[in-house]
Coordinates of all heavy atoms in Angstrom, one line a residue:
M1 N 95.6 47.3 138.5 CA 95.0 47.0 137.2 C 96.1 46.9 136.2 O 96.0 46.2 135.2 CB 94.0 48.1 136.8 CG 93.2 47.8 135.6 SD 92.3 46.2 135.7 CE 90.8 46.7 136.5
D2 N 97.2 47.7 136.4 CA 98.3 47.7 135.4 C 99.4 46.7 135.8 O 100.5 46.9 135.4 CB 98.9 49.1 135.2 CG 97.9 50.0 134.5 OD1 97.0 49.4 133.8 OD2 98.0 51.2 134.6
R3 N 99.1 45.7 136.5 CA 100.1 44.7 136.9 C 100.6 43.9 135.7 O 99.7 43.4 134.9 CB 99.5 43.7 137.9 CG 100.4 42.8 138.5 CD 99.7 42.1 139.7 NE 98.3 41.8 139.5 CZ 97.8 40.6 139.3 NH1 98.6 39.6 139.2 NH2 96.5 40.4 139.1
P4 N 101.9 43.9 135.4 CA 102.4 43.1 134.2 C 102.1 41.6 134.3 O 102.0 41.1 135.4 CB 103.9 43.4 134.2 CG 104.2 44.3 135.3 CD 103.0 44.5 136.2
V5 N 101.9 41.0 133.1 CA 101.7 39.6 133.1 C 103.0 38.9 133.3 O 104.0 39.1 132.6 CB 101.1 39.2 131.7 CG1 101.0 37.7 131.6 CG2 99.8 39.9 131.5
A6 N 103.1 38.0 134.3 CA 104.3 37.3 134.7 C 104.8 36.5 133.5 O 104.0 35.9 132.7 CB 104.0 36.4 135.9
G7 N 106.1 36.4 133.3 CA 106.7 35.6 132.3 C 106.9 36.3 130.9 O 107.3 35.7 130.0
T8 N 106.4 37.6 130.8 CA 106.5 38.3 129.6 C 107.6 39.3 129.6 O 107.8 40.0 128.6 CB 105.2 38.9 129.2 OG1 104.8 39.9 130.3 CG2 104.1 37.9 129.1
E9 N 108.4 39.4 130.6 CA 109.4 40.5 130.7 C 110.4 40.2 129.6 O 110.8 39.1 129.3 CB 110.1 40.4 132.1 CG 109.2 40.7 133.3 CD 108.4 39.5 133.7 OE1 108.5 38.4 133.1 OE2 107.6 39.7 134.7
G10 N 110.8 41.3 128.9 CA 111.8 41.3 127.9 C 111.3 40.8 126.5 O 112.0 40.7 125.5
Q11 N 110.0 40.5 126.4 CA 109.4 40.1 125.1 C 108.8 41.3 124.4 O 108.4 42.2 125.1 CB 108.4 39.0 125.4 CG 108.9 37.7 125.9 CD 107.8 36.7 126.0 OE1 106.9 36.6 125.2 NE2 107.9 35.8 127.0
S12 N 108.6 41.2 123.1 CA 107.8 42.1 122.4 C 106.8 41.3 121.5 O 107.1 40.1 121.2 CB 108.7 43.0 121.5 OG 109.3 42.3 120.5
F13 N 105.8 42.0 121.1 CA 104.7 41.3 120.4 C 104.3 42.1 119.2 O 104.0 43.3 119.4 CB 103.5 41.1 121.3 CG 103.8 40.3 122.6 CD1 104.2 41.0 123.7 CD2 103.8 38.9 122.6 CE1 104.6 40.3 124.9 CE2 104.1 38.2 123.7 CZ 104.5 38.9 124.9
D14 N 104.4 41.5 118.0 CA 104.0 42.2 116.8 C 102.6 41.8 116.3 O 102.2 40.7 116.6 CB 105.0 41.9 115.6 CG 106.4 42.5 115.9 OD1 106.6 43.2 116.9 OD2 107.3 42.3 115.0
G15 N 102.0 42.8 115.7 CA 100.6 42.5 115.2 C 100.3 43.5 114.1 O 101.1 44.3 113.7
G16 N 99.1 43.4 113.6 CA 98.6 44.3 112.5 C 97.2 44.0 112.1 O 96.6 43.1 112.6
C17 N 96.8 44.7 111.0 CA 95.5 44.6 110.5 C 95.5 43.5 109.5 O 96.5 43.0 109.0 CB 95.0 45.9 109.9 SG 95.8 46.4 108.5
H18 N 94.3 43.1 109.0 CA 94.2 42.0 108.1 C 94.8 42.2 106.7 O 95.4 41.3 106.1 CB 92.7 41.6 108.0 CG 92.4 40.3 107.3 ND1 92.0 40.3 106.0 CD2 92.6 39.1 107.7 CE1 91.9 39.0 105.6 NE2 92.2 38.3 106.6
C19 N 94.7 43.5 106.2 CA 95.2 43.7 104.9 C 96.7 43.9 104.9 O 97.4 43.9 103.9 CB 94.5 44.9 104.2 SG 95.1 46.5 104.9
G20 N 97.3 44.1 106.1 CA 98.8 44.3 106.2 C 99.3 45.7 106.2 O 100.5 45.9 106.3
D21 N 98.4 46.7 105.9 CA 98.9 48.1 105.9 C 99.4 48.6 107.2 O 100.3 49.4 107.3 CB 97.8 49.0 105.4 CG 98.3 50.4 105.2 OD1 99.2 50.6 104.5 OD2 97.7 51.3 105.8
I22 N 98.8 48.1 108.3 CA 99.1 48.6 109.6 C 99.9 47.5 110.4 O 99.4 46.3 110.4 CB 97.9 49.0 110.4 CG1 97.2 50.2 109.7 CG2 98.2 49.4 111.8 CD1 95.8 50.4 110.2
R23 N 101.1 47.8 110.9 CA 101.8 46.9 111.7 C 102.2 47.6 112.9 O 102.6 48.8 112.9 CB 103.1 46.4 110.9 CG 102.8 45.7 109.6 CD 102.1 44.3 109.8 NE 102.9 43.4 110.7 CZ 102.4 42.4 111.3 NH1 101.1 42.1 111.1 NH2 103.1 41.6 112.0
F24 N 102.2 46.9 114.0 CA 102.6 47.5 115.3 C 103.4 46.6 116.2 O 103.4 45.3 115.9 CB 101.4 48.0 116.1 CG 100.4 46.9 116.5 CD1 100.6 46.1 117.6 CD2 99.3 46.6 115.6 CE1 99.7 45.1 117.9 CE2 98.4 45.6 116.0 CZ 98.6 44.8 117.1
R25 N 104.1 47.1 117.1 CA 104.9 46.3 118.1 C 104.6 46.8 119.5 O 104.6 48.0 119.8 CB 106.4 46.4 117.8 CG 107.2 45.7 118.8 CD 108.7 45.6 118.3 NE 108.7 44.8 117.1 CZ 109.5 45.0 116.0 NH1 110.3 46.0 116.1 NH2 109.4 44.2 115.0
A26 N 104.3 45.8 120.3 CA 104.1 46.1 121.8 C 105.4 45.7 122.5 O 105.8 44.5 122.4 CB 102.9 45.4 122.3
T27 N 106.0 46.6 123.2 CA 107.2 46.2 123.9 C 106.9 46.2 125.4 O 105.9 46.8 125.8 CB 108.4 47.2 123.6 OG1 108.0 48.5 124.1 CG2 108.7 47.3 122.1
G28 N 107.8 45.7 126.1 CA 107.6 45.7 127.6 C 106.5 44.6 127.9 O 105.8 44.2 127.1
P29 N 106.4 44.3 129.2 CA 105.5 43.3 129.6 C 104.0 43.8 129.4 O 103.8 45.0 129.8 CB 105.8 43.0 131.0 CG 106.5 44.2 131.5 CD 107.2 44.8 130.3
P30 N 103.1 43.1 128.8 CA 101.7 43.5 128.8 C 101.1 43.5 130.2 O 101.6 42.8 131.0 CB 101.0 42.5 127.9 CG 101.9 41.3 127.9 CD 103.3 41.8 128.2
R31 N 100.2 44.4 130.4 CA 99.4 44.4 131.6 C 98.3 43.4 131.6 O 98.0 42.8 130.5 CB 98.9 45.8 131.9 CG 97.8 46.1 130.9 CD 97.2 47.5 131.2 NE 96.2 47.8 130.2 CZ 95.8 49.0 129.9 NH1 96.5 50.0 130.4 NH2 94.9 49.2 129.0
Q32 N 97.7 43.2 132.7 CA 96.5 42.3 132.7 C 95.5 42.9 131.7 O 95.4 44.1 131.5 CB 95.9 42.3 134.1 CG 96.8 41.7 135.1 CD 97.1 40.2 134.9 OE1 96.2 39.5 134.6 NE2 98.3 39.9 135.1
I33 N 94.8 42.0 131.0 CA 93.9 42.5 129.9 C 92.7 43.3 130.6 O 92.1 42.9 131.5 CB 93.3 41.3 129.2 CG1 94.4 40.6 128.4 CG2 92.2 41.7 128.2 CD1 94.1 39.3 127.7
L34 N 92.5 44.5 130.0 CA 91.5 45.4 130.4 C 90.3 45.3 129.4 O 90.5 45.4 128.2 CB 92.0 46.8 130.5 CG 91.0 47.9 130.8 CD1 90.5 47.8 132.2 CD2 91.6 49.2 130.5
I35 N 89.1 44.9 129.9 CA 87.9 44.8 129.1 C 87.1 46.0 129.5 O 86.8 46.3 130.6 CB 87.1 43.5 129.4 CG1 88.0 42.3 129.2 CG2 85.8 43.5 128.6 CD1 88.3 42.0 127.8
C36 N 86.6 46.8 128.4 CA 85.8 48.0 128.7 C 84.5 47.9 127.9 O 84.4 47.4 126.8 CB 86.6 49.2 128.3 SG 85.7 50.7 128.8
H37 N 83.4 48.3 128.6 CA 82.1 48.2 128.0 C 81.5 49.6 127.9 O 80.3 49.8 127.7 CB 81.1 47.4 128.8 CG 81.6 46.0 129.1 ND1 81.3 45.0 128.2 CD2 82.3 45.4 130.0 CE1 81.9 43.9 128.6 NE2 82.5 44.1 129.7
C38 N 82.3 50.7 127.9 CA 81.8 52.0 127.9 C 81.2 52.3 126.5 O 81.5 51.6 125.5 CB 82.8 53.1 128.2 SG 84.0 53.5 126.9
S39 N 80.4 53.4 126.3 CA 79.7 53.6 125.1 C 80.8 54.0 124.0 O 80.5 53.6 122.8 CB 78.7 54.8 125.2 OG 79.4 56.0 125.7
D40 N 81.9 54.6 124.3 CA 82.9 54.9 123.3 C 83.5 53.6 122.7 O 83.6 53.4 121.5 CB 84.1 55.7 123.9 CG 83.7 57.1 124.0 OD1 82.7 57.6 123.4 OD2 84.4 57.8 124.8
C41 N 83.8 52.6 123.6 CA 84.3 51.3 123.1 C 83.3 50.6 122.3 O 83.7 49.9 121.3 CB 84.8 50.5 124.3 SG 86.3 51.2 125.1
L42 N 82.1 50.6 122.7 CA 81.0 49.9 121.9 C 81.0 50.5 120.5 O 80.9 49.8 119.5 CB 79.7 50.1 122.6 CG 79.6 49.5 124.0 CD1 78.1 49.6 124.5 CD2 80.1 48.1 124.2
K43 N 81.0 51.8 120.4 CA 80.9 52.5 119.1 C 82.2 52.2 118.2 O 82.1 52.0 117.0 CB 80.7 54.0 119.2 CG 79.3 54.3 119.8 CD 79.2 55.8 120.0 CE 77.9 56.2 120.7 NZ 77.9 57.5 121.1
L44 N 83.3 52.2 118.9 CA 84.6 52.1 118.2 C 84.8 50.7 117.6 O 85.4 50.5 116.6 CB 85.8 52.5 119.1 CG 85.9 54.0 119.4 CD1 86.8 54.2 120.5 CD2 86.3 54.7 118.1
T45 N 84.3 49.7 118.3 CA 84.5 48.3 117.9 C 83.3 47.7 117.2 O 83.5 46.7 116.5 CB 84.8 47.4 119.1 OG1 83.7 47.4 120.0 CG2 86.0 47.9 119.9
G46 N 82.1 48.2 117.4 CA 80.9 47.6 116.9 C 80.6 46.3 117.6 O 79.9 45.5 117.1
A47 N 81.2 46.2 118.8 CA 81.0 44.9 119.6 C 80.5 45.4 121.0 O 80.4 46.5 121.3 CB 82.3 44.1 119.7
S48 N 80.4 44.4 121.9 CA 79.9 44.7 123.2 C 81.0 45.0 124.2 O 80.8 45.2 125.4 CB 79.0 43.5 123.7 OG 79.8 42.3 123.8
W49 N 82.3 44.9 123.7 CA 83.4 45.2 124.6 C 84.6 45.5 123.8 O 84.7 45.2 122.6 CB 83.7 44.1 125.6 CG 83.9 42.7 124.9 CD1 82.9 41.9 124.6 CD2 85.1 42.2 124.5 NE1 83.4 40.8 124.0 CE2 84.7 40.9 123.9 CE3 86.4 42.5 124.5 CZ2 85.7 40.1 123.3 CZ3 87.4 41.7 124.0 CH2 87.0 40.5 123.4
R50 N 85.7 46.1 124.4 CA 87.0 46.2 123.8 C 88.0 45.8 124.8 O 87.9 46.1 126.0 CB 87.2 47.7 123.3 CG 88.6 47.9 122.7 CD 88.7 49.2 122.0 NE 88.7 50.3 122.9 CZ 89.0 51.6 122.5 NH1 89.3 51.8 121.2 NH2 89.1 52.5 123.3
A51 N 89.1 45.2 124.3 CA 90.2 44.8 125.2 C 91.5 45.5 124.9 O 91.7 45.9 123.8 CB 90.4 43.3 125.0
S52 N 92.2 45.7 126.0 CA 93.5 46.3 125.8 C 94.5 45.6 126.8 O 94.1 45.3 127.9 CB 93.4 47.8 126.2 OG 94.7 48.4 126.3
A53 N 95.7 45.5 126.4 CA 96.7 44.9 127.3 C 98.1 45.6 127.2 O 99.1 45.0 127.7 CB 96.9 43.4 127.0
V54 N 98.1 46.7 126.5 CA 99.4 47.4 126.3 C 99.3 48.8 126.8 O 98.4 49.5 126.6 CB 99.7 47.5 124.7 CG1 101.0 48.2 124.5 CG2 99.7 46.1 124.1
Q55 N 100.4 49.1 127.6 CA 100.5 50.5 128.0 C 100.8 51.4 126.8 O 101.6 51.0 125.9 CB 101.7 50.6 129.0 CG 101.6 49.7 130.2 CD 100.7 50.3 131.3 OE1 100.0 51.3 131.1 NE2 100.7 49.7 132.5
A56 N 100.3 52.6 126.8 CA 100.4 53.5 125.6 C 101.9 53.7 125.3 O 102.3 53.7 124.1 CB 99.7 54.8 125.8
E57 N 102.7 53.9 126.3 CA 104.2 54.1 126.1 C 104.9 52.9 125.6 O 106.0 53.0 125.1 CB 104.8 54.7 127.4 CG 104.8 53.7 128.5 CD 103.6 53.9 129.4 OE1 102.6 54.4 129.0 OE2 103.7 53.4 130.6
N58 N 104.3 51.7 125.6 CA 104.9 50.5 125.1 C 104.4 50.1 123.7 O 104.7 49.1 123.2 CB 104.7 49.4 126.0 CG 105.4 49.6 127.3 OD1 106.4 50.3 127.4 ND2 104.9 48.9 128.4
F59 N 103.6 51.0 123.1 CA 103.0 50.8 121.7 C 103.8 51.5 120.7 O 104.0 52.7 120.8 CB 101.6 51.2 121.7 CG 100.9 50.9 120.4 CD1 100.4 49.7 120.1 CD2 100.8 52.0 119.5 CE1 99.8 49.5 118.9 CE2 100.2 51.7 118.2 CZ 99.7 50.5 118.0
I60 N 104.3 50.8 119.7 CA 105.0 51.4 118.5 C 104.3 51.1 117.3 O 104.1 49.9 116.9 CB 106.5 50.9 118.5 CG1 107.2 51.1 119.8 CG2 107.2 51.5 117.3 CD1 108.5 50.3 119.9
L61 N 104.0 52.1 116.5 CA 103.3 51.9 115.2 C 104.4 51.8 114.2 O 105.2 52.7 113.9 CB 102.4 53.1 114.9 CG 101.6 53.0 113.7 CD1 100.6 51.8 113.8 CD2 100.8 54.3 113.5
L62 N 104.6 50.6 113.6 CA 105.7 50.4 112.6 C 105.3 50.9 111.2 O 106.2 51.4 110.5 CB 106.0 48.9 112.6 CG 106.4 48.3 113.9 CD1 106.5 46.7 113.8 CD2 107.7 48.8 114.4
T63 N 104.1 50.6 110.7 CA 103.7 51.1 109.5 C 102.2 51.5 109.6 O 101.5 50.9 110.5 CB 103.8 50.1 108.3 OG1 102.9 48.9 108.7 CG2 105.2 49.6 108.1
G64 N 101.7 52.4 108.8 CA 100.3 52.8 109.0 C 100.1 54.1 108.2 O 99.4 55.0 108.7
S65 N 100.7 54.2 107.0 CA 100.6 55.5 106.3 C 99.2 55.8 105.9 O 98.9 57.0 105.7 CB 101.4 55.4 105.0 OG 101.0 54.3 104.2
G66 N 98.3 54.8 105.9 CA 96.9 55.1 105.5 C 96.0 55.5 106.7 O 94.8 55.7 106.5
L67 N 96.6 55.5 107.9 CA 95.8 55.8 109.1 C 95.4 57.3 109.1 O 96.2 58.1 108.8 CB 96.6 55.5 110.4 CG 96.5 54.1 110.9 CD1 97.4 54.0 112.1 CD2 95.1 53.7 111.3
R68 N 94.2 57.5 109.5 CA 93.7 58.9 109.8 C 93.4 58.9 111.3 O 92.8 58.0 111.8 CB 92.5 59.2 109.0 CG 92.7 59.4 107.6 CD 91.5 59.8 106.9 NE 91.7 59.9 105.5 CZ 90.9 60.4 104.6 NH1 89.7 60.9 105.1 NH2 91.1 60.5 103.4
W69 N 93.8 60.0 112.0 CA 93.7 60.0 113.5 C 92.6 61.1 113.8 O 92.5 62.1 113.2 CB 95.0 60.4 114.1 CG 96.0 59.3 114.0 CD1 96.9 59.1 113.0 CD2 96.2 58.2 114.9 NE1 97.6 58.0 113.2 CE2 97.2 57.4 114.3 CE3 95.6 57.8 116.1 CZ2 97.6 56.2 114.9 CZ3 96.0 56.7 116.7 CH2 97.0 55.9 116.1
Y70 N 91.9 60.8 114.9 CA 90.9 61.8 115.4 C 90.8 61.6 116.9 O 91.1 60.6 117.4 CB 89.5 61.6 114.7 CG 88.8 60.3 115.1 CD1 87.9 60.4 116.1 CD2 89.1 59.1 114.5 CE1 87.2 59.2 116.5 CE2 88.5 58.0 114.9 CZ 87.5 58.0 115.9 OH 86.9 56.9 116.3
S71 N 90.4 62.7 117.6 CA 90.2 62.7 119.0 C 88.9 62.0 119.3 O 87.8 62.5 119.0 CB 90.2 64.1 119.6 OG 91.4 64.7 119.4
S72 N 89.0 60.8 119.9 CA 87.8 60.0 120.2 C 87.2 60.4 121.6 O 86.1 60.0 121.9 CB 88.1 58.5 120.2 OG 89.1 58.2 121.1
S73 N 88.0 61.1 122.4 CA 87.5 61.6 123.7 C 88.5 62.7 124.1 O 89.3 63.1 123.4 CB 87.5 60.5 124.7 OG 88.9 60.1 125.0
D74 N 88.3 63.3 125.3 CA 89.1 64.3 125.8 C 90.6 63.8 126.0 O 91.5 64.6 126.1 CB 88.6 64.9 127.1 CG 87.3 65.7 126.9 OD1 87.0 66.1 125.8 OD2 86.6 65.8 127.9
W75 N 90.7 62.5 126.2 CA 92.1 62.0 126.5 C 92.6 61.0 125.5 O 93.7 60.5 125.7 CB 92.0 61.4 127.9 CG 90.9 60.3 128.0 CD1 89.6 60.5 128.4 CD2 91.0 58.9 127.8 NE1 88.9 59.3 128.4 CE2 89.8 58.4 128.0 CE3 92.1 58.1 127.3 CZ2 89.6 57.0 127.8 CZ3 91.9 56.8 127.2 CH2 90.6 56.2 127.4
A76 N 91.9 60.6 124.4 CA 92.4 59.6 123.6 C 92.2 59.9 122.1 O 91.4 60.7 121.7 CB 91.6 58.3 123.8
E77 N 93.1 59.3 121.3 CA 93.0 59.4 119.8 C 92.8 58.0 119.3 O 93.3 57.1 119.8 CB 94.2 60.0 119.2 CG 94.4 61.5 119.4 CD 95.6 62.0 118.6 OE1 96.6 61.4 118.6 OE2 95.4 63.1 117.9
C78 N 92.0 57.9 118.2 CA 91.9 56.7 117.5 C 92.3 56.8 116.1 O 92.1 57.9 115.5 CB 90.4 56.2 117.6 SG 89.9 55.6 119.2
G79 N 92.9 55.8 115.5 CA 93.3 55.8 114.1 C 92.4 54.7 113.4 O 92.1 53.7 114.0
F80 N 92.0 55.1 112.2 CA 91.3 54.1 111.4 C 91.7 54.2 110.0 O 92.3 55.1 109.6 CB 89.7 54.3 111.6 CG 89.2 55.6 111.0 CD1 88.7 55.5 109.7 CD2 89.4 56.8 111.6 CE1 88.2 56.7 109.1 CE2 88.9 58.0 111.0 CZ 88.4 57.9 109.8
Ligands
ZN1 ZN1 85.8 52.1 127.1

């Protein structure tokens, strides 16, 4: 499931929220996209699924002073 996407080695990907307060960088090759339909993901997104393609150790938060963090499960934290 964590197989890297071919052709992305050595690349990084920047992104952020719509207002620009939060900026992040994903380093290292992204893994295959993981789609989750669990009840936590439904509540966190307000949608019928959530997608992820970045290993936690490859995620760098560049800006996000307005973020508040909370434990969304026994093993994860979410910022909003
Ligand atoms: Zn989930």
Side-chain angles (χ1 to χ4, degrees):
M1 191 57 84
D2 288 338
R3 187 167 37 106
V5 175
T8 59
E9 297 82 2
Q11 295 186 33
S12 65
F13 303 91
D14 290 0
C17 68
H18 191 255
C19 77
D21 184 56
I22 298 166
R23 299 294 303 163
F24 61 84
R25 177 167 296 143
T27 63
R31 67 180 180 206
Q32 298 294 317
I33 295 173
L34 173 69
I35 304 288
C36 187
H37 302 274
C38 79
S39 60
D40 284 342
C41 289
L42 302 185
K43 291 175 186 171
L44 289 166
T45 62
S48 59
W49 54 274
R50 179 165 73 170
S52 170
V54 178
Q55 303 277 13
E57 62 268 21
N58 293 338
F59 180 84
I60 302 167
L61 188 61
L62 301 172
T63 63
S65 60
L67 275 176
R68 292 184 182 187
W69 292 90
Y70 69 98
S71 296
S72 60
S73 69
D74 291 341
W75 54 271
E77 284 189 316
C78 286
F80 69 98

